[in-house]
Amino acid sequence: MSTEKKDRLGMSSRAVHAGEPRNHYADAITTPIFQTSTFVFRNSDEIEEYTKHKKERFEYGRYGNPTELIAQNRLADLEGAEDCVVLSSGMMAITTTILSLVRTGDHIVITDDSYKKTLEFCRSYLKRFGIECTIVPFGDYDALEGSIKSNTRFIFSESPTNPYLNVFDLKLLKEIADRHGVITLIDSTIATPINQRPLELGIDLVTHSATKYLAGHNDILAGAVMGRKDLIAPIRNLHKSMGGLIDPHCCYLLLRGLKTFPMRVERQNDTALQVARFLEGHPDIQRVYYPLLESHQHYSIAREQMKGGGCVVTFEMKGGIDEAKRFMDSLEMIFIGPSFGGAETLITHPATVSYYDYTREERYELGIIDTLFRLAVGLEDVDDIIADLQGALERARR
Ligand SMILES: *Cc1c(COP(=O)(O)O)cnc(C)c1O
């Protein structure tokens, strides 16, 4: 198929075909897993073609692998990016991207609602190398603009965020960044390329934890960064030195997961909205956070910027810690565990898991109350998910 024709395909077709030559080794229909660490030269002429004449080919596993290359091309296509690097985890994508951009004496800006480990990396590790970090409250665009200095290199944020699904106005972010000539980075993991298109709004670099929706089966860890070729090239180069490589078998599983990615996300968008409405109407529920519920503080930005609300629904029960534990312990189908975007519906209880080492006062200051839950709907039937929640809520009251 011509490139031009391929460009006109829809997201589901591209999720199956993009970024891959039509003819595979041995005419296999699936992408071969090139389980090799090295690629051989037939003779000295081939070495010369590679070194002197810059012929593109594979040489050593850390510098590239055909299965990895196809995964990178497919993800670039789905995000609408010129180029993409696939790495061993979402954190590897974030840290490698940041390190490729900064040098001693630089200043960076990050919003306070960011992923815990991203914040820790910016706040603690970068400081050791003389990189100053300002953390601004999410949603305070004046504070954000006010924090920019002459040595500010980039602004990093997420949209939507975890666990309250706050939505960043990406157009406004782009305007602010342009006024000061700084680079913009968005962790778009919770949105996916189906529900949000940051690059089309002018954002410079997008990162994903491909562990979540992109792979989609709770079976691998992977990460990706996408953007313009000139910004991706130094990230790829640093990646080859850092060595946080993803292995070819993981790339295969990522490509396999991607084939159903658009269908899965559309289904999860539908299910999550129904579950959010059910919870909002339930007498034992105090509050629900979902970007496409009219009650969400960023509903209007979400409506404008997002095609769907995604699979994460956060809610607060009425009652206290005992009711919360009884509810969690009464679930029959839904698993208790971190992550989201996979086939299985998962629930987490931030107060006893991610914030177990905070005092109750510290947690409450952040809004992490005893009865807060983050639900990540999977691919099960919506009626079964709702029935499981309803049954557990009933048993929690007793
Ligand atoms: C999970 C997650 C990460 C980290 O990704 P890993 O693949 O676990 O390293 C980063 N950002 C967000 C928003 C995430 O949900």
Side-chain angles (χ1 to χ4, degrees):
M1 202 181 294
S2 69
T3 329
E4 197 188 316
K5 218 172 198 173
K6 256 190 177 167
D7 284 347
R8 276 186 269 118
L9 295 176
M11 278 296 256
S12 288
S13 310
R14 281 154 49 199
V16 178
H17 296 292
E20 188 167 19
R22 196 160 171 81
N23 300 321
H24 294 173
Y25 182 72
D27 296 319
I29 189 156
T30 54
T31 311
I33 303 169
F34 288 89
Q35 194 67 52
T36 183
S37 60
T38 196
F39 300 85
V40 296
F41 295 94
R42 233 160 290 175
N43 53 38
S44 54
D45 286 347
E46 279 199 358
I47 297 177
E48 206 155 292
E49 274 178 10
Y50 177 61
T51 54
K52 277 207 182 128
H53 307 296
K54 304 290 169 217
K55 184 187 170 197
E56 287 206 14
R57 55 155 287 158
F58 298 98
E59 181 208 332
Y60 180 63
R62 188 159 24 76
Y63 303 139
N65 173 290
T67 319
E68 177 199 34
L69 180 65
I70 293 163
Q72 295 186 350
N73 290 343
R74 187 158 303 163
L75 284 178
D77 185 281
L78 293 174
E79 190 66 61
E82 278 179 13
D83 204 357
C84 165
V85 181
V86 174
L87 309 91
S88 55
S89 71
M91 279 318 299
M92 195 71 217
I94 290 167
T95 53
T96 308
T97 300
I98 291 176
L99 288 176
S100 83
L101 289 169
V102 290
R103 61 179 64 197
T104 302
D106 280 348
H107 169 249
I108 62 171
V109 179
I110 181 167
T111 52
D112 64 351
D113 222 2
S114 300
Y115 192 70
K116 214 172 152 191
K117 284 286 170 197
T118 307
L119 272 175
E120 190 181 311
F121 180 76
C122 290
R123 189 161 45 195
S124 314
Y125 291 96
L126 290 183
K127 206 169 164 188
R128 293 191 198 167
F129 305 100
I131 293 144
E132 193 199 347
C133 172
T134 304
I135 300 170
V136 295
F138 188 97
D140 188 341
Y141 299 96
D142 290 335
L144 179 80
E145 181 150 21
S147 73
I148 299 175
K149 310 197 235 182
S150 59
N151 60 339
T152 303
R153 184 73 173 121
F154 65 78
I155 303 169
F156 191 139
S157 192
E158 288 176 27
S159 189
T161 62
N162 178 26
Y164 301 111
L165 290 319
N166 288 321
V167 182
F168 209 103
D169 186 335
L170 298 181
K171 262 191 212 153
L172 193 51
L173 169 62
K174 166 73 179 155
E175 280 171 30
I176 293 171
D178 277 356
R179 277 202 284 276
H180 303 273
V182 298
I183 291 175
T184 47
L185 261 74
I186 285 291
D187 181 338
S188 197
T189 302
I190 299 189
T192 81
I194 298 287
N195 288 334
Q196 180 170 279
R197 314 285 299 167
L199 297 175
E200 286 167 17
L201 299 174
I203 299 302
D204 295 304
L205 288 166
V206 171
T207 64
H208 282 282
S209 165
T211 309
K212 314 290 166 55
Y213 294 94
L214 298 172
H217 291 75
N218 292 325
D219 54 3
I220 64 164
L221 279 116
V225 52
M226 296 89 149
R228 286 197 318 271
K229 270 191 190 320
D230 63 309
L231 286 173
I232 293 291
I235 300 170
R236 173 167 287 123
N237 201 38
L238 178 61
H239 177 51
K240 288 171 183 179
S241 294
M242 300 272 284
L245 268 288
I246 179 165
D247 75 80
H249 189 250
C250 260
C251 291
Y252 174 80
L253 288 172
L254 174 56
L255 285 162
R256 179 184 160 115
L258 279 175
K259 292 181 188 184
T260 53
F261 158 67
M263 289 188 331
R264 287 188 280 104
V265 174
E266 276 161 28
R267 167 74 173 253
Q268 285 168 328
N269 282 343
D270 280 353
T271 304
L273 185 58
Q274 288 184 63
V275 169
R277 292 217 169 103
F278 157 77
L279 288 170
E280 200 167 47
H282 196 287
D284 295 343
I285 299 295
Q286 185 164 291
R287 185 159 177 193
V288 182
Y289 301 85
Y290 189 70
L292 292 185
L293 281 184
E294 291 77 354
S295 56
H296 194 280
Q297 63 167 343
H298 298 138
Y299 173 71
S300 61
I301 310 172
R303 274 291 299 269
E304 204 178 298
Q305 190 167 286
M306 297 177 70
K307 200 177 140 212
C311 76
V312 179
V313 182
T314 299
F315 61 95
E316 295 164 2
M317 283 172 69
K318 287 181 186 161
I321 190 77
D322 293 339
E323 280 85 357
K325 285 185 178 167
R326 265 205 305 278
F327 163 72
M328 200 166 31
D329 296 343
S330 302
L331 291 165
E332 289 175 341
M333 181 182 77
I334 297 168
F335 285 115
I336 304 168
S339 204
F340 57 86
E344 298 84 5
T345 297
L346 294 168
I347 198 161
T348 55
H349 184 228
T352 54
V353 187
S354 6
Y355 293 86
Y356 79 95
D357 52 349
Y358 287 55
T359 65
R360 195 163 184 269
E361 286 69 38
E362 285 169 342
R363 269 198 289 114
Y364 270 63
E365 215 158 276
L366 298 171
I368 311 290
I369 68 168
D370 288 341
T371 58
L372 180 79
F373 285 96
R374 188 191 76 185
L375 181 75
V377 306
L379 298 172
E380 302 95 336
D381 294 281
V382 61
D383 293 346
D384 295 329
I385 296 171
I386 289 177
D388 201 15
L389 292 168
Q390 183 146 31
L393 283 168
E394 253 163 51
R395 287 187 287 275
R397 235 185 302 126
R398 279 186 221 130

